[in-house]
Amino acid sequence: MKKLLLVILCVCMAGPALVRAQSRVGEGGKSPVVALKTNGLYWATTTPNVGIEVRLAPKWTLEAEVGLNPFDGKNDDGSFDQSIKH
């Protein structure tokens, strides 16, 4: 599980270096169409996440984000402990 989280973290950290979502015009004279994103505050609460944003029109985009909260907080008797949840 730790290796998987490390791989996900490396991919999310490398993504912004490869894709520039906010630049108007890329090297080929066209603006970017797809961006890979992550939310740093979610990582601070140990919630790995990744998102993708697709340009639909010059001022319209569509975003899909996925996050994994590994905390259950549920005891065997059905009660809940305090845990980090959002």
Side-chain angles (χ1 to χ4, degrees):
M1 181 69 175
K2 289 182 182 181
K3 288 182 182 180
L4 176 63
L5 292 177
L6 182 63
V7 169
I8 291 172
L9 177 64
C10 290
V11 168
C12 289
M13 294 306 224
L18 302 173
V19 178
R20 295 182 211 157
Q22 300 299 322
S23 62
R24 287 223 148 208
V25 178
E27 293 176 8
K30 296 181 180 178
S31 58
V33 177
V34 178
L36 182 66
K37 300 167 56 169
T38 187
N39 187 333
L41 294 176
Y42 274 23
W43 282 97
T45 61
T46 64
T47 305
N49 64 79
V50 66
I52 188 165
E53 188 171 357
V54 179
R55 179 176 53 106
L56 301 175
K59 294 186 179 184
W60 287 78
T61 61
L62 177 67
E63 178 187 1
E65 186 174 331
V66 175
L68 171 67
N69 190 344
F71 299 105
D72 185 13
K74 197 173 198 180
N75 294 330
D76 293 335
D77 63 357
S79 64
F80 287 93
D81 282 336
Q82 288 183 326
S83 64
I84 300 173
K85 288 197 172 206
H86 63 282

